[in-house]
Amino acid sequence: LGFAGNHHIRSPLLDACSRRVTVFNNAFTNLPLTLPAHSAMFTSKFPSELDVELNAEPLSREWDTIPEILSRFGFLTAGFPRAVLTFPRGIEQGFHFFDGRSKHGSRGDSVPMQRVRLMKATEKFESKEIKRIGNVVKWLRERERNGDNYFLWLHVFEPHLPYAPEKPDRYADFDLSCESVDETIRNLGPTWHVPGQSFTSQDLASSRTLYRNEVLWTDRLLQPIINHIVCESEHAPFLMITSDHGECLYDSDNYFGHGHQVTKEELHVPFMAGVLNKGMASNGLIDTEPVQSVDVAPTILSATGIEYPNGMRGRNALKPADKKPVIPFSCGYPPKFVGALNSQYKIVWSA
């Protein structure tokens, strides 16, 4: 992302947010898959403890989640998920409103992913996402009009395979015609997720440009929410933006995607948090201490003045660490790799 120093990526909205909060430039996921990473964020427990190391392994209701804890303290909670998280996987527990599905798909994890991939190949995807963002803003306005304390979780799917950003952002930074870019997506789409697939240098460059353009489109998609917070909200809210995983772009391993390896490309994620003050003051902070997925829940609870339970594995990222953080990690798919890292070293072994 732009605020993290990548000058090839355009993310003006997130860059502007970063100048008002604290940015953690050494943030890592504990497992680079959607459900395991979100389970770690919501419970501050490691995926191996939760027995959630694949998207098809639901989070047990025995674990306390952020929305459950906040609900007990009078907060109204809403979740707006996408893809695999729209189906009951345990993440929905504790939400007063959850914009997901009430039943599992007939083929489990593969169903929502296939539907999203199909939608991304049609003109329907952008209109559905814009409508969803509009529903988020509507929910926010209702809470603020009623003077409610609230917790809102928004999950966006992009950037994600297949790399097919919406128009006109799809064509940004290409010297090709629009028709040629569309043809490139059609030709490369079936091969991106295949490990060991060979690509020409032009195919690699086009794939990475499409990924960057997905970031640009996502940044634009979020604009109504941030505009509402900055321009309309009476009180400056606490904002956290992070990701469940990074993405391998045929960098240190020969595939596109995530979940198969524990390289920096898959583990390193954006992470910013703080009160999103109004105005144009450029008072953002950079924190170099390592942070991780399990730090999400303690940081959010601390921001509300709620003391987080001792059993949580993470810490309040906005306070100095009592000792040098060590971050455990693993990948979801075989061959299984596990490891740990700190600010100086990283060790990986085969499980």
Side-chain angles (χ1 to χ4, degrees):
L1 292 170
F3 66 82
N6 189 334
H7 302 298
H8 300 290
I9 292 246
R10 284 178 289 173
S11 50
L13 183 72
L14 295 179
D15 295 350
C17 290
S18 74
R19 292 191 287 271
R20 295 177 171 85
V21 296
T22 299
V23 171
F24 300 87
N25 59 8
N26 282 311
F28 300 91
T29 182
N30 296 114
L31 198 157
L33 280 174
T34 297
L35 182 58
H38 277 87
S39 297
M41 293 182 206
F42 276 39
T43 64
S44 193
K45 299 285 187 182
F46 297 120
S48 57
E49 294 180 272
L50 301 170
D51 290 325
V52 182
E53 297 184 272
L54 293 170
N55 284 335
E57 297 172 350
L59 176 66
S60 170
R61 295 191 175 276
E62 70 178 283
W63 303 107
D64 234 0
T65 64
I66 301 172
E68 286 181 302
I69 296 171
L70 290 174
S71 294
R72 293 199 291 268
F73 283 85
F75 284 74
L76 290 180
T77 58
F80 292 83
R82 289 295 286 124
V84 63
L85 298 183
T86 62
F87 281 68
R89 291 290 192 270
I91 286 293
E92 71 278 2
Q93 61 197 51
F95 283 106
H96 294 103
F97 174 80
F98 191 79
D99 189 28
R101 303 170 188 269
S102 59
K103 296 180 180 179
H104 286 277
S106 59
R107 292 192 295 167
D109 180 31
S110 63
V111 174
M113 192 63 70
Q114 288 175 355
R115 286 178 179 167
V116 169
R117 286 173 176 163
L118 179 62
M119 285 174 59
K120 288 189 73 172
T122 72
E123 298 296 328
K124 297 178 180 179
F125 188 75
E126 181 175 24
S127 62
K128 286 181 178 291
E129 283 297 270
I130 291 174
K131 180 180 179 181
R132 192 170 74 103
I133 296 300
N135 289 337
V136 172
V137 174
K138 180 181 178 182
W139 189 88
L140 281 171
R141 285 181 174 144
E142 289 175 351
R143 302 288 71 74
E144 291 162 356
R145 184 167 57 247
N146 296 336
D148 298 323
N149 289 326
Y150 64 83
F151 168 73
L152 168 71
W153 166 61
L154 171 67
H155 172 227
V156 293
F157 187 66
E158 294 70 34
H160 198 288
L161 285 172
Y163 309 137
E166 295 301 314
K167 306 169 185 176
D169 298 315
R170 175 180 299 183
Y171 309 120
D173 299 329
F174 273 105
D175 294 328
L176 305 173
S177 67
C178 296
E179 292 77 13
S180 296
V181 174
D182 292 339
E183 183 179 2
T184 297
I185 294 173
R186 288 193 295 270
N187 292 338
L188 294 179
T191 64
W192 274 321
H193 69 282
V194 180
Q197 182 76 29
S198 60
F199 295 91
T200 67
S201 58
Q202 180 60 51
D203 287 343
L204 290 176
S206 295
S207 301
R208 291 164 181 164
T209 299
L210 286 166
Y211 181 85
R212 293 197 299 268
N213 290 347
E214 285 229 328
V215 174
L216 175 62
W217 181 75
T218 304
D219 189 87
R220 196 189 312 277
L221 180 71
L222 297 174
Q223 189 167 355
I225 298 176
I226 301 302
N227 284 348
H228 170 79
I229 290 172
V230 173
C231 301
E232 297 185 35
S233 295
E234 183 178 350
H235 303 291
F238 181 84
L239 176 75
M240 177 180 287
I241 297 175
T242 187
S243 180
D244 46 359
H245 54 73
E247 189 82 346
C248 183
L249 297 174
Y250 219 87
D251 305 286
S252 54
D253 207 354
N254 59 343
Y255 83 108
F256 288 89
H258 53 271
H260 295 273
Q261 296 291 337
V262 289
T263 59
K264 184 177 181 181
E265 289 78 13
E266 295 195 40
L267 296 176
H268 198 202
V269 296
F271 195 122
M272 67 170 79
V275 176
L276 192 62
N277 294 308
K278 298 176 183 290
M280 300 301 293
S282 204
N283 58 351
L285 301 173
I286 302 294
D287 194 317
T288 60
E289 281 292 317
V291 296
Q292 55 189 319
S293 300
V294 294
D295 294 332
V296 167
T299 305
I300 291 175
L301 293 175
S302 297
T304 66
I306 298 172
E307 186 175 352
Y308 59 88
N310 290 331
M312 287 189 167
R313 301 300 188 186
R315 65 181 181 90
N316 178 5
L318 292 169
K319 290 185 64 177
D322 295 332
K323 54 185 178 181
K324 292 293 183 182
V326 175
I327 298 175
F329 55 80
S330 62
C331 62
Y333 301 119
K336 189 67 176 290
F337 294 103
V338 297
L341 61 85
N342 61 16
S343 57
Q344 292 180 297
Y345 302 103
K346 175 182 178 182
I347 182 170
V348 179
W349 62 92
S350 179

